[in-house]
Amino acid sequence: RQRQMCIRDSHSTGSYYIFLNGGVVSSRSKTLEKVSTSTTAAEYEQLYHCTEEVTYIRQLLGEIGVHLHAPTIIYEDNLAAVSLANSASKIHARTRSMALQLHKIRERIADGIVDVLPVGTNDNIADVGTKALPRPAFKVHSKCLSMPFIAP
């Protein structure tokens, strides 16, 4: 998961990739519809969308007889978003605008559906969907996504 801000209109672009058995089964790279007041709010909105997509995929797998017993790990590079997701603290004035998303993600964590863990910026493959990367990083992340790297 990752987000990047568009300079022209101040909208953030976020992306995520969902893997199953080593391959990407779902992905999203989209400019958020509303302007976020903070980086954490933008990251948390993308985390919410990723969590809901993971929930849907797990339900679909359950319907065809594939039951996952461990939570799906979601890697997040924004430490404030990771902390909010994993915290049992009350909602503060700064997080009130994302209260529904906050409750939903915490509910999914409590139900054992997802687990939100931090990932370092250098290891965040979702950067491929949000920003121009240096060639070495692009090659590494593209390989993780099973995308062939074609040199210009």
Side-chain angles (χ1 to χ4, degrees):
R1 280 215 348 83
Q2 177 63 31
R3 70 131 212 116
Q4 183 70 28
M5 186 172 287
C6 177
I7 301 296
R8 292 183 308 249
D9 59 12
S10 299
H11 288 259
S12 297
T13 301
S15 70
Y16 62 76
Y17 299 91
I18 298 174
F19 290 82
L20 180 65
N21 201 27
V24 177
V25 294
S26 180
S27 67
R28 176 181 169 162
S29 182
K30 185 176 179 183
T31 301
L32 301 179
E33 294 175 10
K34 55 187 175 186
V35 176
S36 294
T37 56
S38 73
T39 303
T40 301
E43 292 276 355
Y44 213 82
E45 183 175 345
Q46 281 300 107
L47 181 59
Y48 169 77
H49 290 299
C50 183
T51 300
E52 291 305 296
E53 183 72 4
V54 165
T55 302
Y56 168 75
I57 291 170
R58 288 176 66 104
Q59 288 172 345
L60 181 64
L61 289 170
E63 289 177 13
I64 62 171
V66 178
H67 301 285
L68 304 175
H69 302 289
T72 301
I73 297 172
I74 299 176
Y75 293 103
E76 170 61 56
D77 70 342
N78 183 288
L79 294 179
V82 173
S83 179
L84 274 173
N86 291 308
S87 172
S89 66
K90 293 182 181 179
I91 296 172
H92 300 286
R94 286 188 228 162
T95 59
R96 193 167 293 139
S97 64
M98 46 190 187
L100 175 64
Q101 296 171 348
L102 191 60
H103 285 301
K104 280 294 210 183
I105 294 170
R106 288 180 179 176
E107 182 179 279
R108 302 289 189 237
I109 291 170
D111 291 344
I113 295 169
V114 299
D115 194 8
V116 179
L117 301 176
V119 64
T121 301
N122 294 336
D123 298 322
N124 188 6
I125 62 172
D127 281 347
V128 167
T130 61
K131 62 177 96 171
L133 295 172
R135 185 180 208 134
F138 182 80
K139 285 174 74 173
V140 169
H141 295 330
S142 296
K143 187 175 182 179
C144 291
L145 293 171
S146 300
M147 296 173 14
F149 175 73
I150 301 172

